[in-house]
């Protein structure tokens, strides 16, 4: 499998009702993470960045791998999701190795 085919191959679609249900769940989870980050006290705020970054990671991966989009949009979202996954890994590892 080449990199181009991996980035642009169509998604394995789940039924639309389930896909949009998950999308609503991930949007609510992202909104909760944003609210939690900005309402936390300054002493606790650094703990909420992990939750926010994981919620963004879940949203990006779901959009990149479950929704049928044009090949350019699919490739862009998949590259962004992979880069964000690396960033989240660095964030989590740097937080827990202190």
């Amino acid at each position: 499998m080449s990199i181009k085919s991996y980035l642009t191959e169509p998604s394995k679609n789940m039924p639309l009702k389930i896909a949009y249900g998950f999308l609503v769940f991930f949007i609510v989870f992202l909104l909760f993470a944003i609210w939690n980050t900005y309402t936390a006290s300054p002493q606790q705020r650094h703990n909420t960045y992990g939750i926010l970054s994981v919620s963004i990671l879940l949203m990006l991966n779901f959009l990149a791998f479950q929704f049928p989009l044009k090949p350019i949009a699919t490739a862009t979202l998949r590259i962004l999701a992979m880069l964000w996954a690396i960033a989240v890994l660095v964030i989590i590892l740097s937080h827990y190795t202190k």
Side-chain angles (χ1 to χ4, degrees), residues 53-71:
S53 60
V54 167
S55 66
I56 293 170
L57 173 72
L58 290 172
M59 176 74 84
L60 280 175
N61 279 311
F62 186 73
L63 287 174
F65 292 100
Q66 291 299 325
F67 278 96
L69 301 169
K70 293 182 180 180

Side-chain angles (χ1 to χ4, degrees), residues 3-4 14 27 34 60 91 95:
I3 294 174
K4 181 182 177 187
M14 61 175 59
I27 289 171
I34 291 169
L60 280 175
I91 289 169
H95 178 69

Side-chain angles (χ1 to χ4, degrees), residues 15-45:
L16 281 179
K17 289 182 181 180
I18 295 173
Y20 284 114
F22 273 113
L23 186 61
V24 168
F25 171 75
F26 288 131
I27 289 171
V28 169
F29 184 55
L30 181 64
L31 290 174
F32 171 74
I34 291 169
W35 173 80
N36 189 26
T37 299
Y38 289 110
T39 59
S41 66
Q43 293 84 13
Q44 297 292 327
R45 187 158 293 147

Side-chain angles (χ1 to χ4, degrees), residues 1 4-12 64-65 69 71 74 78:
M1 173 183 275
K4 181 182 177 187
S5 66
Y6 174 72
L7 292 175
T8 59
E9 73 181 9
S11 301
K12 311 286 189 282
F65 292 100
L69 301 169
T74 301
R78 288 181 181 179

